[in-house]
Amino acid sequence: MTSDWTERDLQTDPMRSAFVRAIEALRPGEVVSYGDVAARAGYPRRHRAVGQLLGASFDALPWWRVVYNDGRLPPVNPSLQEQRLIEEGVTMKRMRVVQSPLGRFASSLK
């Protein structure tokens, strides 16, 4: 599901294209960090570029499934992000992911 905002860039920017593929592959309830997306896309340490991409994507990508490394929600629309994550079965406490069904915060021990 590539939207118009990325189509031109994806044709000329393989890193952005890889980020989009990694983000689009996230399933409901799968919560990862910006660094996880960068690593999955083959561009470790480019987490800031992932943030820039998501900041420009609006709702074209499932941005709400990407959080800071420690589970905190970024300051851009955290209430909406928290609501969407809870709807996907993610456990939250004070705007921080505690546990998710899939991804970085999944655990059978919690």
Side-chain angles (χ1 to χ4, degrees):
M1 173 197 137
T2 305
S3 65
D4 292 340
W5 69 269
T6 59
E7 193 168 331
R8 179 178 49 83
D9 290 335
L10 296 182
Q11 293 172 2
T12 59
D13 189 339
M15 182 176 70
R16 286 174 61 102
S17 180
F19 290 162
V20 168
R21 285 191 305 273
I23 296 164
E24 287 178 337
L26 297 174
R27 297 176 289 170
E30 184 174 5
V31 182
V32 298
S33 71
Y34 294 95
D36 293 335
V37 171
R40 288 180 184 190
Y43 294 89
R45 301 181 64 168
R46 297 303 308 264
H47 60 279
R48 289 179 191 249
V50 173
Q52 290 172 344
L53 173 76
L54 286 174
S57 75
F58 304 100
D59 271 351
L61 296 171
W63 57 269
W64 58 92
R65 296 179 183 144
V66 184
V67 300
Y68 290 140
N69 193 40
D70 63 1
R72 287 179 301 121
L73 303 184
V76 179
N77 217 343
S79 296
L80 178 60
Q81 185 171 16
E82 181 180 49
Q83 176 188 344
R84 288 184 178 182
L85 289 172
I86 290 170
E87 289 170 1
E88 293 185 357
V90 176
T91 304
M92 304 289 301
K93 183 175 184 180
R94 295 185 184 152
M95 298 293 188
R96 183 184 300 257
V97 175
V98 176
Q99 184 177 7
S100 64
L102 301 166
R104 168 179 284 271
F105 304 95
S107 173
S108 60
L109 303 176
K110 290 185 181 181

